[in-house]
Amino acid sequence: MYCLSDKQIDYIINDISTRGVEMEALQQNLLDHICCIVEQNLEVDGDFESFYQKTIKTFYKDALWEIEEETLLLLTFKNYYKMKKTMIISGLFSAITMTAGLIFKFMHWPGASPMILMGVASLGLIFLPLMSVLKTKEKQNKNDKLIIVFGAVFGVLISFAVLFKIFHWPGANIMGLISVAIMLLVFTPLYYFTGIRNPENKTNTIMITILLVMGCGLFLTLINFRPGFTIVKASEKINQHLEECYNYATQQNSLIFNKTIIDTLTNKKNNIELNKKCNELCNAIEVIKLNVLQLTEQNIATVITYSELTMPDNYDIPTNILFGENATAKPQLQALKTNLNNFNTFILENFKQNSAILINLSDITNTDSGLPETWEKSNYYHMPLVCILRNLTQLQLEVRLIESNCMR
Amino acid sequence: MNYSSELIKGTLKTIVLKLLADNKKMYGYEITQTVKEQTLDKILITEGALYPTLHSLEADGLVTTEIEFIGKRVRKYYRLSPQGKIKTKEKVSELADFMNTMKFLLNIKTKTV
């Protein structure tokens, strides 16, 4: 009987590990097994290394790690039926909750959002990953496995992109674009070139590839990554028109002001103060407009060109610029409100004006929730860039109108 | 004559369980050698089939293990759990029944040919 030295045992364990067997329990099993064979079959003065190399080769077909792979397969196969059952239940749950959620949403019944959320979460986090794991196990071909994995990744991303879109959460568009990119640039070519090689599937492959490309095209059109062209054009016109009105009012006021300065009958001191306050307010509003524009569009424009806006519908960035935690206005917007309030007080005290012409800063009832909302939240929170710019120009115009009324 | 690996694969769990039922505790190499001796070299269990099966039986709770240190290496003994004893009976009777059915089925076929 051959007696193995510690060095030889180390040699065997290292070799097993180098050959790709990583599970410690399996390494120990194989080590003991090989040692037994060596001890039983090798002559006392035999050549250990060549005998070992010959023996280890009888353990496998192509590589030693096949044993570990087979072990892992058997261990995970145990959960196969549980996984399959979970997959079917989660799929059914997702289909039911999503359908019910969408019906609730159309009917404006309460509880629609959590249902849709649960449906998509169950689809994207349980059903699709489980399906891809189970299906990849069934396939032998590497390409078939890849197709399933990419298909599942696409499915998860697209379902979350739609979910984010429904809930107006940031990141929906980028997720949607990435998923369509995966579908068009990775999945479809892989699917097409794998399927086309098989003469039996040739027609089917071509048909499904066409359907996939068409589906992606339709999705891109439907998801509305950019706001509708007509809406963009309309808001561009509204903003330009309002801006022109404001500029005109500024010019006219300036002319009237210059006249009143010469006219000895008017209250010069008040008018000078009024003009100063109006200019300061309008300039402060212009600063906010440019600030929001520059940060949203990531440029350093000093003049607003409405026809060149690249993100007219973005509301995430403007909201982040103007509002902090819990939708409370940041100092910039708060300061504006204070200044407008002071302006109102100044007008009331110095000019005999009807309070109806003052800038309305009171709370406004939200038409969706029926609850009162602060002036700043109602005008600027979750508002697209074009609307924020419009509301601010409107404010500048209102200031100029008050100015002109007071100077008469 | 050696039997094909497909035939052995389908019956390996039963073979291992039955051996453990008869021998209380065994280690891997011992199992392969016992099968080889008892079947007069007709059934040769490969390492690639045996260890995955043993690990799977352990994960299913049908066998328990105990470790013995032999110098620098570790020997793992396998022993039937109470659950494994019940399973062995089921498996053996199932296989016996299956063999009878096969015998019957194949006999009929031989007659008709």
Side-chain angles (χ1 to χ4, degrees):
Chain A
M1 189 175 127
Y2 189 86
C3 191
L4 280 158
S5 69
D6 283 357
K7 215 175 156 189
Q8 285 166 329
I9 289 175
D10 283 339
Y11 171 82
I12 300 173
I13 196 89
N14 283 337
D15 188 61
I16 292 171
S17 174
T18 323
R19 285 170 186 267
V21 177
E22 286 169 358
M23 284 170 71
E24 208 190 321
L26 194 61
Q27 283 180 352
Q28 294 295 346
N29 278 142
L30 292 173
L31 172 68
D32 184 47
H33 199 105
I34 294 165
C35 291
C36 288
I37 296 176
V38 174
E39 285 167 351
Q40 297 293 324
N41 301 300
L42 185 61
E43 299 292 321
V44 179
D45 53 353
D47 179 4
F48 161 75
E49 214 170 310
S50 67
F51 182 80
Y52 167 75
Q53 291 299 344
K54 222 187 282 171
T55 310
I56 195 83
K57 284 202 176 82
T58 62
F59 279 41
Y60 56 83
K61 258 191 203 154
D62 298 317
L64 191 66
W65 52 259
E66 285 166 5
I67 302 179
E68 180 162 295
E69 201 181 55
E70 177 76 10
T71 309
L72 289 172
L73 194 77
L74 278 180
L75 292 180
T76 41
F77 195 73
K78 192 169 73 87
N79 298 323
Y80 182 82
Y81 293 104
K82 266 187 208 160
M83 282 163 87
K84 207 163 186 175
K85 213 172 170 182
T86 317
M87 182 189 88
I88 293 168
I89 291 171
S90 66
L92 271 176
F93 173 80
S94 156
I96 293 167
T97 42
M98 265 209 286
T99 316
L102 288 174
I103 294 172
F104 271 53
K105 197 167 174 80
F106 283 131
M107 304 304 285
H108 293 285
W109 291 336
S113 301
M115 273 195 232
I116 296 174
L117 187 67
M118 280 194 297
V120 177
S122 149
L123 178 83
L125 300 176
I126 307 173
F127 179 78
L128 287 173
L130 274 181
M131 193 185 76
S132 82
V133 169
L134 292 174
K135 286 279 162 198
T136 42
K137 263 188 199 162
E138 285 172 16
K139 301 283 179 191
Q140 297 295 324
N141 188 315
K142 203 179 156 193
N143 274 359
D144 288 342
K145 287 184 181 203
L146 274 177
I147 288 174
I148 293 167
V149 170
F150 279 115
V153 171
F154 164 77
V156 172
L157 274 175
I158 202 96
S159 48
F160 277 97
V162 173
L163 179 78
F164 274 46
K165 197 84 198 166
I166 295 174
F167 285 96
H168 303 293
W169 290 335
N173 288 354
I174 193 75
M175 241 193 283
L177 277 175
I178 292 173
S179 53
V180 174
I182 289 177
M183 175 48 91
L184 285 177
L185 304 176
V186 186
F187 183 87
T188 313
L190 200 63
Y191 175 80
Y192 179 78
F193 289 112
T194 310
I196 203 86
R197 285 191 201 132
N198 187 347
E200 282 173 34
N201 293 339
K202 207 173 171 180
T203 325
N204 261 348
T205 307
I206 295 172
M207 258 168 52
I208 291 178
T209 308
I210 293 171
L211 285 175
L212 286 174
V213 175
M214 273 173 65
C216 284
L218 283 174
F219 174 79
L220 280 173
T221 327
L222 283 175
I223 199 75
N224 223 352
F225 283 108
R226 309 280 334 129
F229 180 73
T230 43
I231 298 286
V232 172
K233 278 284 151 204
S235 55
E236 192 184 304
K237 285 258 155 56
I238 291 170
N239 271 320
Q240 271 165 357
H241 179 67
L242 206 61
E243 196 82 42
E244 280 161 17
C245 286
Y246 162 65
N247 288 335
Y248 178 74
T250 312
Q251 273 176 14
Q252 289 303 308
N253 282 3
S254 166
L255 288 175
I256 301 168
F257 174 71
N258 288 338
K259 258 188 203 167
T260 57
I261 296 287
I262 308 158
D263 187 357
T264 47
L265 290 171
T266 49
N267 185 346
K268 265 193 210 169
K269 197 188 152 209
N270 271 358
N271 273 1
I272 292 170
E273 187 69 18
L274 173 73
N275 181 261
K276 195 181 150 213
K277 279 194 184 295
C278 287
N279 287 344
E280 277 171 6
L281 256 181
C282 287
N283 287 340
I285 297 171
E286 196 65 33
V287 168
I288 299 178
K289 274 163 75 176
L290 280 172
N291 186 22
V292 173
L293 176 89
Q294 286 168 354
L295 290 173
T296 311
E297 300 260 309
Q298 304 275 314
N299 63 22
I300 44 160
T302 47
V303 180
I304 305 172
T305 318
Y306 290 101
S307 55
E308 284 173 10
L309 293 183
T310 53
M311 294 206 273
D313 63 328
N314 190 303
Y315 60 86
D316 307 315
I317 307 175
T319 303
N320 281 333
I321 298 167
L322 299 173
F323 292 87
E325 294 270 312
N326 301 324
T328 45
K330 281 190 180 167
Q332 192 182 28
L333 196 56
Q334 269 174 5
L336 175 67
K337 197 181 178 185
T338 315
N339 288 340
L340 289 169
N341 249 326
N342 294 343
F343 180 71
N344 279 345
T345 320
F346 169 76
I347 299 293
L348 274 182
E349 281 172 0
N350 296 287
F351 301 90
K352 287 171 185 168
Q353 290 291 339
N354 184 342
S355 63
I357 73 148
L358 299 176
I359 293 165
N360 186 2
L361 297 168
S362 52
D363 289 358
I364 301 156
T365 309
N366 183 314
T367 44
D368 286 333
S369 65
L371 297 170
E373 251 178 11
T374 56
W375 166 84
E376 58 272 26
K377 198 175 170 190
S378 173
N379 282 295
Y380 306 104
Y381 189 70
H382 272 197
M383 282 280 171
L385 177 66
V386 279
C387 293
I388 288 185
L389 293 178
R390 197 214 75 91
N391 289 349
L392 287 169
T393 318
Q394 168 94 32
L395 209 55
Q396 288 174 314
L397 182 63
E398 278 178 42
V399 172
R400 288 300 177 200
L401 289 178
I402 293 169
E403 184 189 18
S404 105
N405 265 317
C406 293
M407 281 193 299
R408 265 181 212 158
Chain B
M1 184 194 81
N2 284 336
Y3 295 116
S4 71
S5 61
E6 277 88 3
L7 278 176
I8 295 173
K9 221 173 182 180
T11 48
L12 186 57
K13 263 192 183 178
T14 318
I15 295 172
V16 172
L17 286 171
K18 182 72 176 106
L19 272 182
L20 292 178
D22 295 343
N23 294 284
K24 287 211 162 158
K25 65 170 188 176
M26 292 177 97
Y27 57 95
Y29 178 75
E30 194 183 359
I31 294 173
T32 55
Q33 293 309 300
T34 314
V35 174
K36 196 177 159 192
E37 280 163 25
Q38 286 187 3
T39 61
L40 306 171
D41 288 5
K42 277 188 172 179
I43 294 181
L44 299 174
I45 299 176
T46 61
E47 295 75 14
L50 176 69
Y51 290 106
T53 304
L54 283 172
H55 279 261
S56 158
L57 289 173
E58 191 184 349
D60 287 342
L62 299 178
V63 297
T64 55
T65 56
E66 57 189 75
I67 280 167
E68 190 186 288
F69 288 90
I70 300 171
K72 242 198 147 180
R73 68 183 206 253
V74 176
R75 176 163 294 167
K76 208 173 182 183
Y77 281 97
Y78 293 87
R79 187 196 288 274
L80 279 187
S81 69
Q83 205 188 333
K85 283 176 189 160
I86 302 166
K87 192 77 183 174
T88 309
K89 280 181 192 160
E90 281 174 24
K91 281 274 195 189
V92 170
S93 68
E94 190 196 7
L95 187 59
D97 196 52
F98 178 73
M99 288 192 314
N100 277 333
T101 314
M102 286 302 284
K103 225 163 144 185
F104 180 64
L105 183 74
L106 298 178
N107 275 342
I108 288 175
K109 276 198 172 171
T110 355
K111 275 175 192 171
T112 50
V113 168

